[in-house]
Amino acid sequence: MTISKAYQRDILGLAFIISSVLATLYILLDISALFAYLNHEDKIASIFIHESIYFLIFLIPPYFIAKYMNRKDTIK
């Protein structure tokens, strides 16, 4: 069984959106950690950094998903 092209594009688009949102959350947590560190809240900054590490893996998949989605045979 194969997935039709329309469903494949929808699934890839959804995966792209979810990965992009989680990568953005990683960046926001790091910025929050920086501000907490600058305000001398070391424990809060370490919690933000610790929680953001899990979202680091979502920085790379959006690039490859977008690259695959822009291929001509995927767009048809």
Side-chain angles (χ1 to χ4, degrees), residues 31-42 44-46 48:
I31 290 171
S32 298
L34 177 66
F35 285 137
Y37 184 74
L38 292 175
N39 288 326
H40 306 291
E41 298 288 339
D42 295 333
I44 295 173
S46 68
F48 281 148

Side-chain angles (χ1 to χ4, degrees), residues 6-56:
Y7 289 129
Q8 185 180 13
R9 282 188 310 224
D10 290 344
I11 292 170
L12 286 173
L14 186 61
F16 177 76
I17 290 170
I18 291 171
S19 294
S20 298
V21 166
L22 292 174
T24 303
L25 183 60
Y26 164 75
I27 293 168
L28 289 174
L29 281 171
D30 281 345
I31 290 171
S32 298
L34 177 66
F35 285 137
Y37 184 74
L38 292 175
N39 288 326
H40 306 291
E41 298 288 339
D42 295 333
K43 291 197 182 247
I44 295 173
S46 68
I47 289 172
F48 281 148
I49 289 292
H50 179 60
E51 293 298 323
S52 73
I53 290 173
Y54 298 114
F55 295 113
L56 179 64

Side-chain angles (χ1 to χ4, degrees), residues 8-9 12-13 16 62-76:
Q8 185 180 13
R9 282 188 310 224
L12 286 173
F16 177 76
Y63 171 75
F64 291 109
I65 291 171
K67 192 172 183 179
Y68 181 75
M69 284 175 50
N70 288 331
R71 290 183 5 188
K72 290 186 181 184
D73 61 338
T74 307
I75 295 173
K76 289 182 184 177

